[in-house]
């Protein structure tokens, strides 16, 4: 995840990153795979997975395109996806907001929870469209934390109030590092403005799932030092929140994920 400021807010090399990607896979893979199936990913297809992070989507794509296909998985930090680098998968270190695309004949380009963190989102989107062959499909999936900003929409007690306060701190850190917290809702318009046809979109909003709790715990532990250093929380606040999450009794939510797709004419 590319960010402004001093280093990465959510670094792939931190211990908690793998836990976060596992939670993302549990929460969002069924939605992503449904869209990819509907977009016609099959044997022999050439796919670019942008900001791959973990391996779940890359492995699914590899299974669908088979030995005659190609999957290029890119990220600015490939430490968590490197293990998938076997035919038909090629793993590359690549910054979609800065570098040229790794080709211009892809049948599918997909990015999930990537562009909201990229400073030059406009260039990144152009790059992904340029990478498509005529008739190729683009699927972008990104969060919209401003659309539903609370981990506890039912704020009925001190534990929920604390969770929501810490999430406000997290959103502030994201914004300070260049994230666009209302980017997801703009995806359909941006795809049309990029020249894609037959643009559609939907949204998925996970709520009260064990994976939501796992994601919350891993995220707070990963940004703990940042929250405390910025004066957005105390160590006592964070310890209490993690203990509350560990009880399994909190109905936690994630930000809605907006999925938008279209076809290059």
């Amino acid at each position: 995840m590319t960010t402004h400021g001093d280093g990465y807010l959510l670094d792939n090399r931190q211990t908690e990153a793998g836990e976060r990607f596992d939670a993302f896979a549990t929460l969002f893979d069924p939605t992503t795979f449904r869209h990819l199936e509907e977009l016609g990913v099959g044997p022999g297809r050439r796919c670019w997975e942008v900001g791959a992070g973990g391996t779940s989507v890359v492995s699914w794509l590899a299974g669908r395109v088979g030995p005659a296909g190609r999957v290029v998985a890119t990220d600015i930090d490939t430490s968590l996806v490197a293990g998938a680098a076997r035919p038909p998968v090629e793993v590359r270190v690549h910054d979609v907001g800065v570098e040229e695309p790794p080709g211009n004949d892809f049948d599918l380009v997909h990015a999930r929870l990537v562009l909201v963190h990229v400073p030059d989102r406009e260039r990144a989107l152009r790059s992904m469209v340029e990478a498509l062959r005529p008739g190729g499909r683009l699927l972008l999936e990104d969060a919209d934390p401003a659309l539903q900003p609370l981990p506890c929409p039912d704020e009925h007690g001190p534990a929920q109030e604390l969770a929501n306060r810490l999430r406000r701190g997290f959103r502030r850190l994201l914004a300070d590092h260049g994230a666009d917290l209302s980017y997801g809702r703009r995806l359909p318009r941006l795809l049309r403005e990029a020249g894609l046809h037959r643009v559609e979109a939907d949204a998925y909003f996970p709520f009260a799932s064990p994976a939501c709790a796992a994601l919350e715990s891993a995220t707070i532990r990963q940004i703990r030092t940042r929250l405390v250093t910025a004066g957005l929380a105390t160590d006592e606040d964070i310890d209490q929140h993690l203990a509350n999450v560990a009880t399994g009794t909190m109905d936690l939510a994630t930000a809605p994920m907006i999925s938008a797709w279209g076809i290059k004419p």
Side-chain angles (χ1 to χ4, degrees):
M1 296 179 179
T2 303
T3 59
H4 289 307
D6 53 338
Y8 305 137
L9 181 62
L10 297 167
D11 190 336
N12 285 3
R13 294 183 183 274
Q14 291 178 264
T15 302
E16 296 83 5
E19 297 176 45
R20 295 182 72 252
F21 284 123
D22 288 344
F24 284 142
T26 300
L27 291 167
F28 298 123
D29 277 1
T31 297
T32 295
F33 296 164
R34 173 172 59 85
H35 289 313
L36 291 173
E37 286 180 346
E38 291 172 353
L39 291 173
V41 177
R45 298 291 187 180
R46 298 168 301 245
C47 305
W48 177 20
E49 180 65 15
V50 182
T55 61
S56 66
V57 176
V58 172
S59 297
W60 187 92
L61 288 171
R64 293 302 293 258
V65 305
R70 181 186 183 211
V71 178
V72 179
T74 64
D75 205 319
I76 57 174
D77 181 345
T78 59
S79 55
L80 292 177
V81 74
R86 65 183 69 88
V89 176
E90 175 187 349
V91 175
R92 294 190 192 183
V93 175
H94 179 270
D95 188 336
V96 68
V98 175
E99 300 178 71
E100 295 298 312
N104 60 3
D105 63 345
F106 288 101
D107 299 293
L108 171 86
V109 176
H110 172 244
R112 184 173 76 187
L113 304 176
V114 173
L115 288 186
V116 69
H117 298 281
V118 175
D120 197 345
R121 285 173 278 274
E122 192 173 321
R123 175 171 178 171
L125 179 54
R126 286 199 309 269
S127 177
M128 288 188 278
V129 173
E130 290 170 6
L132 290 168
R133 64 165 179 81
R137 271 71 167 166
L138 176 63
L139 171 62
L140 296 184
E141 301 182 295
D142 243 310
D144 195 313
L147 192 62
Q148 196 299 108
L150 302 177
C152 294
D154 179 21
E155 189 180 87
H156 66 86
Q160 291 73 26
E161 292 170 4
L162 175 59
N164 289 343
R165 177 160 63 84
L166 293 181
R167 181 65 62 87
R168 286 193 292 272
F170 180 34
R171 293 202 313 273
R172 177 172 165 182
L173 291 176
L174 285 170
D176 288 347
H177 281 70
D180 182 344
L181 302 183
S182 58
Y183 188 69
R185 73 191 69 180
R186 293 197 284 274
L187 287 176
R189 171 172 58 83
L190 294 174
L191 265 58
R192 288 193 300 270
E193 291 176 352
L196 299 188
H197 292 180
R198 294 169 58 186
V199 172
E200 298 182 55
D202 64 16
Y204 176 58
F205 173 34
F207 183 39
S209 158
C212 288
L215 178 60
E216 177 71 9
S217 176
T219 300
I220 291 297
R221 285 185 281 115
Q222 188 166 7
I223 64 170
R224 177 180 192 131
T225 300
R226 303 278 190 143
L227 287 169
V228 173
T229 300
L232 298 169
T234 65
D235 280 314
E236 292 75 17
D237 289 334
I238 293 170
D239 287 340
Q240 183 61 61
H241 177 56
L242 292 174
N244 293 340
V245 173
T247 66
T249 61
M250 299 183 70
D251 293 326
L252 293 163
T254 72
M257 184 178 74
I258 312 297
S259 301
W261 56 94
I263 301 173
K264 185 174 181 178

